[in-house]
Amino acid sequence: MSSLFKKLHQQFRLNILIGIITNRATVGKIFIYFHIFDNLSTKIHKFVIQIHNCGIEYFKDMDKTLISYRIFESPCGNLSIGSLDGKLCMCDWTDGNRHQRNISRMKRLLNAEFVLESTPAIETAIAQIEEYFAGTRRQFELPLLLTGSEFQKTVWAALQNIPYGITTTYTDIALKCGKERAVRAIANAIGANALSIIIPCHRVIGVNGTLTGYAGGIIAKQRLLTIEGISQPQFMGQP
């Protein structure tokens, strides 16, 4: 096998894996693509899995940390649920630019790549999220891995203190973080939260009661607040 062919072969495998791990393609979708042209479905499926596994070994050879993830179809949209070393590191809405920014940040800070596979930590998280949507869970009991700057982690810690069924404002979060003049930076850190629902950034609204932005979309934010019994803003500190 020539060196050129080896390089092309390696790049082909890597491109397919990148398509899988960046949500541009899934194993199921690639299976369908090949199935259109070939009836040997079992062999094709094995081929795709082999490519996936080759990619995993490729990243291991590069000394990359491997973050496992799977897509969960929630009632409000698709969530990418990821774990590393038994800890949940991602519960992120897949639509929009914020998701790609969160993925890029995690890859950079953890020297990591994403691998499409489930883990016990991911399955536990999904079970608890389903209970949340069913209205039977108010608190999550999951080990978390926060990936960000110290400032971002401070903001995310403040979000975790917002009780179920209660809203707060960006200004209030800024005050709690001792950064009352950095409301915009606080808002950016909230927007960078890669653990939606688990770290409840949906409970942060505008001073005038408007929902403002949300990575999952305003409709999803309203749905989450409705699940928690919030039809009108009930701010922290109010009776």
Side-chain angles (χ1 to χ4, degrees), residues 184-198:
R184 179 170 294 182
I186 293 291
N188 289 336
I190 292 173
N193 173 29
L195 285 159
S196 290
I197 302 179
I198 310 299

Side-chain angles (χ1 to χ4, degrees), residues 14-210:
L14 181 59
N15 285 344
I16 292 181
L17 179 60
I18 290 173
I20 293 172
I21 65 179
T22 58
N23 298 325
R24 288 195 293 269
T26 64
V27 170
K29 286 182 179 178
I30 293 173
F31 175 83
I32 291 172
Y33 297 155
F34 278 99
H35 185 68
I36 292 173
F37 302 102
D38 197 328
N39 292 323
L40 300 176
S41 57
T42 301
K43 290 185 178 180
I44 295 166
H45 186 261
K46 289 181 178 179
F47 170 69
V48 173
I49 296 301
Q50 286 172 354
I51 292 174
H52 181 262
N53 291 336
C54 285
I56 293 175
E57 293 304 319
Y58 178 84
F59 285 131
K60 284 182 178 178
D61 290 342
M62 295 172 63
D63 292 326
K64 291 284 188 179
T65 300
L66 298 182
I67 298 174
S68 302
Y69 86 101
R70 62 163 285 194
I71 303 300
F72 169 64
E73 296 181 5
S74 85
C76 293
N78 288 343
L79 288 163
S80 180
I81 314 291
S83 73
L84 175 62
D85 294 334
K87 295 182 179 180
L88 196 72
C89 60
M90 176 172 283
C91 180
D92 202 22
W93 304 100
T94 59
D95 292 334
N97 294 328
R98 293 183 185 182
H99 180 52
Q100 294 304 319
R101 287 199 296 269
N102 286 340
I103 288 176
S104 296
R105 183 180 71 248
M106 296 175 73
K107 286 183 176 181
R108 175 173 52 84
L109 295 179
L110 298 174
N111 186 34
E113 290 293 345
F114 285 76
V115 177
L116 183 62
E117 63 180 8
S118 193
T119 65
I122 290 173
E123 294 305 317
T124 298
I126 289 175
Q128 293 191 20
I129 293 169
E130 288 177 330
E131 292 171 353
Y132 170 85
F133 277 108
T136 60
R137 176 173 290 275
R138 293 191 169 200
Q139 291 184 325
F140 294 97
E141 300 170 351
L142 300 165
L144 304 180
L145 174 63
L146 305 182
T147 308
S149 67
E150 290 305 313
F151 174 73
Q152 288 173 324
K153 291 178 181 179
T154 298
V155 174
W156 299 335
L159 296 179
Q160 291 178 277
N161 291 326
I162 308 172
Y164 181 98
I166 299 295
T167 54
T168 190
T169 67
Y170 295 93
T171 301
D172 187 58
I173 295 295
L175 289 170
K176 291 186 182 305
C177 293
K179 302 288 185 180
E180 58 273 13
R181 295 186 178 181
V183 176
R184 179 170 294 182
I186 293 291
N188 289 336
I190 292 173
N193 173 29
L195 285 159
S196 290
I197 302 179
I198 310 299
I199 295 181
C201 55
H202 62 277
R203 296 174 191 159
V204 183
I205 62 177
V207 176
N208 59 358
T210 56

